[in-house]
Amino acid sequence: MDTIDAAGETFTVRRARAEDVPALVALLADDMIGSGREQEDLAPYLAAFAEIDADPRQFLAVVEDATGGVCGTLQLTLVPCLSRRGSTRLLIESVRLAGATRGRGLGTALFAWAHEYGRHHGAALAELTTNKSRVDAHRFYDRLGYRASHEGYKLEL
């Protein structure tokens, strides 16, 4: 468990637990894209959580405010690669902050924490994907120093 500071407040970052899954799903569903993609049945989320939690290369983070309320999440995956001289990449996915916490520096602090997590675990590069329609997120990632250097493709299976 770690703490991060933003806008004069202290937040806790910790590994998610099964009892956090409903709050995390609510965060994932709380936007235009997620509202049409996520569902109320928690069974598939709990099954996915069990797999994530059992994998030592995964860290599903929960961000809590001073009252212990869940106000953010992201999923970190350490990916060993042959490219870049066999380096490890830190893949950052499913980033969400509660609406009331946005614009106060929490996202910047959370990414600084995530980058340090990656460095501590030997990652040489952080990467993420973001939906093309999330223009506010694109500006945020640009400010953090990320560059849209590749074109990504997805295929539903």
Side-chain angles (χ1 to χ4, degrees), residues 73-129:
T73 187
L74 54 69
Q75 182 174 344
L76 305 177
T77 305
L78 296 165
V79 182
C81 298
L82 287 178
S83 65
R84 292 182 175 254
R85 294 185 230 156
S87 67
T88 297
R89 294 173 188 225
L90 176 68
L91 179 62
I92 304 173
E93 289 288 329
S94 301
V95 179
R96 296 292 192 286
L97 293 178
T101 65
R102 292 185 199 133
R104 299 180 7 210
L106 179 56
T108 300
L110 181 58
F111 266 78
W113 175 88
H115 296 155
E116 188 52 39
Y117 174 92
R119 284 185 203 96
H120 178 78
H121 289 87
L125 178 77
E127 63 184 22
L128 53 84
T129 60

Side-chain angles (χ1 to χ4, degrees), residues 122-141:
L125 178 77
E127 63 184 22
L128 53 84
T129 60
T130 181
N131 191 288
K132 289 183 177 189
S133 68
R134 295 184 190 276
V135 293
D136 291 339
H138 302 166
R139 283 192 294 271
F140 172 71
Y141 299 136

Side-chain angles (χ1 to χ4, degrees), residues 28-45:
L28 294 172
D30 189 27
D31 71 12
M32 286 182 3
I33 296 170
S35 65
R37 179 175 55 201
E38 308 307 337
Q39 62 181 22
E40 290 185 23
D41 178 13
L42 292 178
Y45 299 100

